[in-house]
Amino acid sequence: MRVGIIGGGIGGTALALALLQRGIDVHLFERAPAFGEVGAGIQVTPNAVKVIRAMGLMDALRAISFTPQALVGRNWKTAREMWRTPLADDCPSLYGAPFFHVHRADLHALFAARIPAERVTFARACSSVARTPTGAVASFTDGGTFEADLIVGADGIQSAVRASLFGTAQARFTGNMCYRAVVPFDTQPLDYVSPDSSFWLGPHAHVVTYYVCGGRAVNIVAVTETASWIEESWNVPSSRDELLAAFAGWHPNLLRLFGQADSVFKWGLFDRDPMPHWSDGAITLLGDAAHPMLPFLSQGAGMAIEDAFVLASCLAAGATVADALSAYEAQRLPRTRRVQLESRERGRTYHLSSPLALWRRDMTYRLRSLINPHRSGIKANWIYEHDATLPPEPAASAA
Ligand SMILES: Cc1cc2nc3c(=O)[nH]c(=O)nc-3n(C[C@H](O)[C@H](O)[C@H](O)COP(=O)(O)OP(=O)(O)OC[C@H]3O[C@@H](n4cnc5c(N)ncnc54)[C@H](O)[C@@H]3O)c2cc1C
């Protein structure tokens, strides 16, 4: 079997490596002239760690990671804790794997550096895909083509493969934009940034901060509501002043951290509904191309990594590409759909502003934390429990 992958982001490189590990012939096409990742942090939650471990990369992952103590919800102005979900001590026993923070470029390199150079073509942008009598063909903007038994679109949120298969879905602007920055430090940990994944919740806005690069830098993701935005891009340049102005009046520890950010980018948050299918003949989608999601449960990369492992396993096990793709969709569609919809819902909860709604939300966080901290806060325990490396549960038989 020969597989063509369009897109060499986290999902595409994870798939290429997972296929190579199973002895499947693969070639990856990336439109950029070289592998590269934007400067930002990423939370690698236990569900994604289980996959990375099954790929034999646990020691390499540990070497680039920071282990947070807890997921902590704080009031935007007073820093008062609303919830505290222990991670470092609890995740291995509860979910079977630790919780890590890493820099995106380090996570990407974990996969990309293990793909032989002859398996990758850079500076080749896919323009369309089509079925053939025996498989599929990808066409590129330089006029070239590539035929394979299967073509996988791992080409991100603006996927050309998805557009070619299913048309251009209208993305809905959510009314939120996001500032991001990574602030490097010589000394750590800083006395004004706790070693946690901190969620600061305020009216119409929230901020997430956590250490990356083994603790030598802090990642900032600051989301705020805005009336207008035109571009769906990670890389619109912003500035420290713009970030500080957007969060004026927030807790001094946060503003002190923002004051150290030399390089700030901004990003408009767009949303799309879950799709009913990802495949057409011998063409399918993976990662953001299949299920773009809001970042409020920190699962975009995690879902792409799970997709990669499951698709590779289905291809290795399936009698035909059609069997493999139907097993892949059966395992991945329901899970990613739920993550997409719950991420959307978290955005609403984090940004509540009416005093009554806030009081109710914060009381719920505190009461739930007293009963079970893992079912409070961002309520992602059902995501972390999942193990995509295990065979799927047999479908319940009809009574
Ligand atoms: C602020 C922010 C914070 C986030 N935090 C987290 C987090 O904590 N945890 C988490 O799991 N996820 C997080 N995510 C989401 C996560 O980063 C993405 O979901 C993930 O990178 C998707 O991977 P992908 O491979 O599907 O797509 P991408 O990483 O976008 O890769 C797509 C690749 O395809 C290439 N490409 C595009 N078009 C073409 C074409 N036509 N031809 C050839 N190549 C093409 C691109 O150059 C790119 O290399 C976050 C996202 C944001 C924005």
Side-chain angles (χ1 to χ4, degrees):
M1 186 188 299
R2 186 188 199 201
V3 178
I5 301 173
I6 310 298
I10 289 170
T13 53
L15 177 64
L17 185 60
L19 291 172
L20 288 171
Q21 289 179 334
R22 287 162 181 77
I24 296 176
D25 183 12
V26 64
H27 199 92
L28 188 151
F29 297 90
E30 166 57 47
R31 74 175 165 193
F35 282 136
E37 263 297 338
V38 294
I42 213 154
Q43 313 215 26
V44 187
T45 54
N47 49 304
V49 174
K50 281 177 257 193
V51 174
I52 294 170
R53 182 173 61 202
M55 293 176 75
L57 305 175
M58 192 62 175
D59 289 343
L61 176 63
R62 264 187 209 287
I64 56 167
S65 294
F66 179 84
T67 306
Q69 291 304 306
L71 264 168
V72 182
R74 297 178 196 281
N75 178 279
W76 65 289
K77 205 174 175 67
T78 63
R80 186 179 170 199
E81 284 190 14
M82 297 178 230
W83 79 77
R84 173 171 282 271
T85 308
L87 297 177
D89 292 338
D90 289 20
C91 283
S93 55
L94 278 178
Y95 307 123
F99 188 123
F100 291 132
H101 292 158
V102 300
H103 192 281
R104 287 181 67 89
D106 294 340
L107 179 65
H108 183 258
L110 205 62
F111 306 121
R114 289 169 170 81
I115 304 169
E118 67 274 14
R119 300 280 180 174
V120 183
T121 304
F122 291 110
R124 229 160 167 215
C126 177
S127 49
S128 65
V129 286
R131 298 167 71 148
T132 65
T134 53
V137 60
S139 302
F140 297 92
T141 51
D142 61 8
T145 57
F146 179 81
E147 280 198 50
D149 300 297
L150 170 67
I151 301 279
V152 182
D155 49 343
I157 196 154
Q158 310 269 23
S159 170
V161 177
R162 185 184 60 217
S164 188
L165 289 188
F166 301 107
T168 315
Q170 204 51 47
R172 186 179 61 85
F173 179 56
T174 60
N176 290 283
M177 59 160 295
C178 169
Y179 296 92
R180 57 178 186 80
V182 176
V183 185
F185 290 99
D186 293 332
T187 52
Q188 59 88 20
L190 302 168
D191 57 4
Y192 58 94
V193 181
S194 73
D196 302 308
S197 174
S198 293
F199 282 63
W200 299 75
L201 305 191
H204 307 292
H206 78 280
V207 178
V208 183
T209 61
Y210 52 84
Y211 287 93
V212 293
C213 301
R216 297 183 307 281
V218 177
N219 183 58
I220 301 168
V221 178
V223 182
T224 184
E225 294 174 12
T226 179
S228 61
W229 187 271
I230 24 121
E231 217 173 333
E232 188 177 25
S233 162
W234 284 60
N235 279 334
V236 180
S238 177
S239 66
R240 178 195 304 156
D241 289 346
E242 199 180 341
L243 173 63
L244 284 166
F247 289 85
W250 283 54
H251 192 271
N253 284 1
L254 263 188
L255 299 184
R256 190 170 164 197
L257 177 65
F258 291 177
Q260 316 270 337
D262 284 332
S263 183
V264 181
F265 294 89
K266 58 186 179 181
W267 180 47
L269 292 181
F270 286 72
D271 198 12
R272 291 175 180 77
D273 289 329
M275 293 169 62
H277 292 290
W278 301 332
S279 309
D280 181 19
I283 309 166
T284 196
L285 302 173
L286 173 149
D288 278 4
H291 42 68
M293 55 183 63
L294 294 167
F296 303 143
L297 281 168
S298 313
Q299 286 300 320
M303 289 302 114
I305 292 168
E306 287 186 8
D307 287 350
F309 192 93
V310 171
L311 179 54
S313 304
C314 291
L315 287 168
T320 63
V321 167
D323 289 344
L325 293 187
S326 81
Y328 167 60
E329 286 201 1
Q331 286 182 59
R332 298 303 301 157
L333 266 163
R335 176 161 168 82
T336 53
R337 176 190 171 84
R338 184 173 172 196
V339 179
Q340 277 177 290
L341 296 179
E342 291 213 15
S343 296
R344 187 184 281 179
E345 185 278 328
R346 293 302 182 279
R348 281 193 287 271
T349 326
Y350 295 165
H351 288 195
L352 290 176
S353 59
S354 94
L356 179 62
L358 277 177
W359 180 83
R360 260 213 314 257
R361 180 197 70 189
D362 297 351
M363 280 305 286
T364 309
Y365 283 146
R366 290 198 182 94
L367 287 174
R368 278 176 161 268
S369 295
L370 287 177
I371 301 163
N372 180 351
H374 293 278
R375 290 180 182 274
S376 183
I378 71 168
K379 289 186 286 179
N381 52 317
W382 63 273
I383 300 176
Y384 305 161
E385 278 160 8
H386 187 77
D387 189 344
T389 70
L390 298 177
E393 305 263 322
S397 56

